[in-house]
Amino acid sequence: MTNTNDLQSLLKRIEKATARLEDLAAKRSETTKPDEPSKASTDGSVDVEDSKAALEYERAIKPLVEHFVSCSAKIGGLVSDQAQFVQQLYTAQHDFVRLAGTCKQPSPSQLPTLLGAQQSAIQSACALKDANRPSEYFDNLSAVAEGVAAFGWVAVAPTPVPFVNDMKESAEFYTNRVLRKWRESDPNQVEWVKALLSIFRELAVYVKQFHTTGLVWNPKGGDAEAAAKTLGNADSAPVSTPPAPQLPSATQDEPKASSAGGSTRGALFADLNRGGGVTTGLRKVDTTQMTHKNPSLRAAGTVSGDSTTAPAAPAAPAAPKAKAPRMELQKDKWVVENYDSENLSIEATATWQT
C-alpha cells in the first residue's frame, strides 16, 4: 500500500513540473520573434542599419580623410582639387560598406552599378593627374592617383589586404619624391605625405580585421540595389570604362614630313598588303645584269633597266708615261727596256753574257 501511495505522489509531482515547463515555453515563444534581416517599406526600398563593420569604417577612415583634405587645402591649387575626389571616394565607399552589412551579395551584373560612384571618383583623380603633367605638383598628383586604387579592395578576393599594401607602396614611390623636393622648403608637404599614407595604412588594418578574404555581405540581408536607391549611392547606369589612349602616329613623331613621302609610304603598305601578288609585275633579270656574276657592274654601281642592252664596258686604263730607251750590260746580263717593237740585235763579246 505504501508503494502505491509513493508512486501516485511521484506522478503528481511529474505532472506539475511538466505543466510549469509548458507554461515557460509558451511565454518564451510569445516574447521571441524570428530574425528579420531587413525591413521593406511600402515603396519597395530597404531600410539600411549600420553594421559593426560600417561603423568601424567610419570611425577609422573618416578622420584621416578629413585631415588629408585639410592638409591639401594648405597647399592649394590642383592638390586641393584632387583631394575633393578622395573625399567623394570615401563617402561612396562608406555607403557601399553599409550596404554589404545589411544586404545579400549582388550578382556580377549588378556590381558595376553599385560601384559606379567609387569608380567615377578614382577616374577623376587619375584624369586630373594626367591632364597636368607639367605642374610642379605632379608628384603629389601621381601619389594620390596611384594610392586611391587601394579603395578597390571591395572588389578583390581572397587577398584584399596585400592589394591595399601594394597600392600604398606604389604611392610611396611618388611621396618619396615629394619629400626630396619639398622637405626643406615646405613643411606642409611633409604633413601632406604623412596624412595620405596614414589613410592607406589604416585602411589595410581595417580590411584585415573585418574583411580578411574579401568584402563580407549579409547572407540574410535584403536586395542591394533596392537599398542603394535608399542611400542614393548607385548611379542610373553603369559607369563605362574610359576609352584607351590613342597611339601616336608616325606623323606625330615627324611633323614636317612631306605629303609626297606620306603618299609613298601609303603606297608601300598597300603593296605589302597584297601578299604574294606584289611580285606579279616583276620581270626576270638577265644574267648580264646580275652583279654577283659581273664584278664590273658592282664597280659601276648601277645596272641598266633595259634587258636588251649590254652592260657598259669598263673604262680603258690610262696609257703609261713614256720612258727613255735603255740598253746596257749589268755584270753578266744585258738589260733592255722601253723599246717599242723594234728589231734589236746584241753582239755578245763573251759566252757567259745573257
Side-chain angles (χ1 to χ4, degrees):
M1 188 68 178
T2 304
N3 292 336
T4 302
N5 292 334
D6 292 341
L7 181 59
Q8 290 178 350
S9 176
L10 180 61
L11 290 175
K12 289 181 180 180
R13 292 175 61 185
I14 292 175
E15 290 176 354
K16 290 181 180 179
T18 303
R20 291 183 61 185
L21 290 174
E22 291 177 348
D23 291 340
L24 290 174
K27 292 180 180 179
R28 181 171 297 179
S29 62
E30 292 178 357
T31 56
T32 304
K33 296 181 180 180
D35 294 337
E36 297 181 359
S38 60
K39 298 179 181 180
S41 61
T42 56
D43 60 356
S45 61
V46 179
D47 294 334
V48 178
E49 297 180 359
D50 288 344
S51 62
K52 182 179 179 180
L55 293 173
E56 181 62 21
Y57 183 89
E58 181 179 10
R59 186 200 67 78
I61 308 301
K62 183 179 181 179
L64 300 179
V65 172
E66 292 177 344
H67 178 57
F68 170 73
V69 173
S70 175
C71 293
S72 300
K74 295 178 181 178
I75 300 175
L78 295 172
V79 176
S80 180
D81 294 341
Q82 193 182 44
Q84 298 304 316
F85 296 126
V86 179
Q87 178 71 62
Q88 296 174 15
L89 177 58
Y90 159 76
T91 302
Q93 186 159 106
H94 177 226
D95 290 342
F96 190 74
V97 173
R98 293 177 64 194
L99 286 180
T102 56
C103 300
K104 298 178 181 178
Q105 184 173 3
S107 64
S109 61
Q110 293 175 319
L111 275 179
T113 299
L114 299 174
L115 293 172
Q118 298 178 63
Q119 186 177 358
S120 177
I122 292 175
Q123 290 178 352
S124 297
C126 295
L128 183 65
K129 180 263 294 186
D130 293 335
N132 294 277
R133 292 183 177 275
S135 172
E136 63 175 334
Y137 300 119
F138 180 71
D139 290 334
N140 299 72
L141 303 179
S142 298
V144 175
E146 292 291 332
V148 291
F151 284 84
W153 69 268
V154 293
V156 176
T159 56
V161 178
F163 175 79
V164 175
N165 290 329
D166 288 344
M167 298 303 103
K168 171 179 168 289
E169 291 177 0
S170 297
E172 285 179 333
F173 174 81
Y174 291 99
T175 56
N176 289 338
R177 297 176 65 172
V178 172
L179 292 176
R180 285 195 298 267
K181 182 177 180 180
W182 300 99
R183 178 182 282 118
E184 302 298 333
S185 59
D186 191 353
N188 291 330
Q189 290 280 2
V190 178
E191 184 181 3
W192 181 90
V193 168
K194 293 179 180 179
L196 177 63
L197 296 181
S198 67
I199 296 175
F200 308 134
R201 190 161 37 246
E202 189 62 30
L203 184 62
V205 173
Y206 165 79
V207 174
K208 183 177 181 180
Q209 181 178 358
F210 291 94
H211 310 277
T212 308
T213 59
L215 182 64
V216 178
W217 296 83
N218 187 347
K220 298 181 180 181
D223 181 71
E225 282 191 329
K229 293 177 181 178
T230 302
L231 292 173
N233 185 44
D235 298 336
S236 58
V239 176
S240 59
T241 56
Q246 185 178 4
L247 294 176
S249 62
T251 55
Q252 289 176 329
D253 293 337
E254 301 175 3
K256 297 182 180 180
S258 62
S259 58
S263 61
T264 303
R265 190 183 301 109
L268 172 61
F269 287 125
D271 286 339
L272 292 177
N273 291 332
R274 289 165 55 191
V278 72
T279 62
T280 55
L282 299 179
R283 62 178 176 82
K284 186 176 180 180
V285 180
D286 189 77
T287 56
T288 59
Q289 294 180 299
M290 297 180 180
T291 56
H292 66 283
K293 293 185 178 181
N294 295 275
S296 59
L297 296 181
R298 290 199 297 269
T302 58
V303 179
S304 173
D306 187 359
S307 61
T308 61
T309 304
K321 185 177 180 181
K323 296 183 180 180
R326 177 186 177 191
M327 179 185 299
E328 61 180 352
L329 178 63
Q330 295 182 355
K331 295 185 179 180
D332 59 349
K333 184 182 294 184
W334 285 93
V335 177
V336 180
E337 294 179 345
N338 303 325
Y339 282 93
D340 295 334
S341 58
E342 300 177 359
N343 293 325
L344 302 176
S345 63
I346 300 175
E347 295 181 359
T349 59
T351 58
W352 45 265
Q353 296 178 358
T354 59

